[in-house]
Amino acid sequence: MFALNRPIIAASILLITVLLPAAVRAQSTAEEEAKRRAANIAAYPEAARSLFGQKTAPASMQARAIGSYARGCLAGATALPIDGPSWQVMRLARNRNWGHPVLIDYLEEFAREVPRINGWPGLLVGDISQPRGGPMLTGHASHQIGLDADLWLTPMPRGRLDSDARENMPAVNMARADWRDVDPKHWTPAHTKLIKAAASEPRVERIFVNPALKVALCREAGADRSWLNKVRPIWGHNYHFHIRMSCPAGMASCSGQEPPNFGDGCGEELSGWIERQRAAIFAPPKPPPKTPPKPKPPMSLDALPPECRQVLVSR
């Protein structure tokens, strides 16, 4: 069972220790993002993240998700328009509103249904993928094949946000101060309705949320709990939820993941996530080692599927 997989738990503890200091803060501003991108390019100019992160247009190829969600690339990407009848794209300077057409079509359909689903005017859309997918210069380990998207848990306002707000407006932290549950000042039944609707879509493979949010979803699920099987706890994701689409039918180049087969995830497994998260946030930091370990180099181009080289050089 997933909950008893010790190597995964050990890796998770390491990941949360590294990632949570950034995860508990609001999303970075345009200035902060630009500085991080520049530093990462300067540090490893030949890394896959630098090569893909500097591409500003998609590869003019047949649309294909190539590889896996955290080790791949994207051919023939489509951009989600930055404004729709019921969505607005955030953080435009990142140029991450690209995805496989299957995902873009779904996001447009889903956004149009949001007013009916929970009464919001629409969605604020965060990162999807880069124009050619691949590893990103900042942030995500996944989002590499155009089938992942982050949707803010802040409702879209009725008016259009200006460019400054789209780059710098902070998202709302939905976790309570003790990180055991949601903050009742911000979390509403509309959030549960929205996530339930996304998880109920057959084309959606997974939904990722912070463990504190999963606690609320387990409590508020109602009689039909089948949709909870797809909703998995993960570090961060306290400002947004993450939608992952299944590989398009018949697309051999796309490596999917196993179907959810671990139940609703509302018991001992979730309690473990909560306690590990709290320990990482509130436990006194350990003194740094006398000789800090050498940082692991970022993913190289050779680590990606061979087809990604063609995607990278395509006009």
Side-chain angles (χ1 to χ4, degrees), residues 2-237:
F2 181 87
L4 300 179
N5 190 320
R6 293 184 179 181
I8 290 178
I9 290 175
S12 297
I13 293 172
L14 177 61
L15 278 173
I16 191 173
T17 304
V18 173
L19 296 178
L20 261 176
V24 298
R25 296 194 301 266
Q27 297 184 19
S28 61
T29 64
E31 182 179 2
E32 292 167 340
E33 175 76 11
K35 288 180 179 178
R36 293 190 187 112
R37 290 172 65 93
N40 287 340
I41 292 171
Y44 293 97
E46 298 303 316
R49 70 183 186 188
S50 297
L51 300 174
F52 279 93
Q54 295 181 83
K55 291 295 183 180
T56 59
S60 182
M61 305 169 70
Q62 180 182 1
R64 282 195 304 149
I66 302 168
S68 64
Y69 300 99
R71 193 179 292 267
C73 58
L74 173 63
T78 299
L80 178 69
I82 63 172
D83 287 304
S86 50
W87 73 82
Q88 298 181 51
V89 175
M90 303 297 285
R91 305 302 193 250
L92 300 178
R94 297 182 184 181
N95 194 27
R96 292 177 179 172
N97 59 313
W98 299 86
H100 189 280
V102 165
L103 173 61
I104 300 304
D105 289 347
Y106 169 70
L107 291 176
E108 294 186 4
E109 294 170 13
F110 184 51
R112 290 188 180 100
E113 288 294 306
V114 165
R116 179 191 62 79
I117 291 168
N118 70 351
W120 286 4
L123 296 173
L124 297 179
V125 181
D127 288 352
I128 304 176
S129 187
Q130 300 175 138
R132 303 189 188 202
M136 293 187 179
L137 278 164
T138 59
H140 319 275
S142 60
H143 291 253
Q144 294 194 25
I145 57 175
L147 295 174
D148 296 283
D150 290 341
L151 302 180
W152 283 31
L153 289 163
T154 305
M156 186 188 85
R158 296 194 180 276
R160 289 290 155 183
L161 296 169
D162 62 21
S163 58
D164 181 70
R166 294 200 192 202
E167 297 298 345
N168 301 305
M169 184 181 94
V172 177
N173 180 10
M174 293 290 157
R176 200 168 67 189
D178 64 359
W179 291 84
R180 290 192 183 278
D181 208 323
V182 292
D183 187 339
K185 296 193 301 292
H186 303 304
W187 183 267
T188 70
H191 290 96
T192 299
K193 291 177 181 177
L194 185 69
I195 294 172
K196 179 179 180 180
S200 300
E201 164 59 49
R203 292 171 291 177
V204 170
E205 184 69 44
R206 293 286 195 281
I207 302 287
F208 298 106
V209 298
N210 188 272
L213 277 59
K214 174 85 180 199
V215 169
L217 295 172
C218 290
R219 182 175 59 245
E220 300 168 8
D224 175 16
R225 303 179 66 82
S226 60
W227 59 276
L228 285 170
N229 294 6
K230 292 183 182 179
V231 183
R232 309 305 298 161
I234 194 68
W235 318 131
H237 297 76

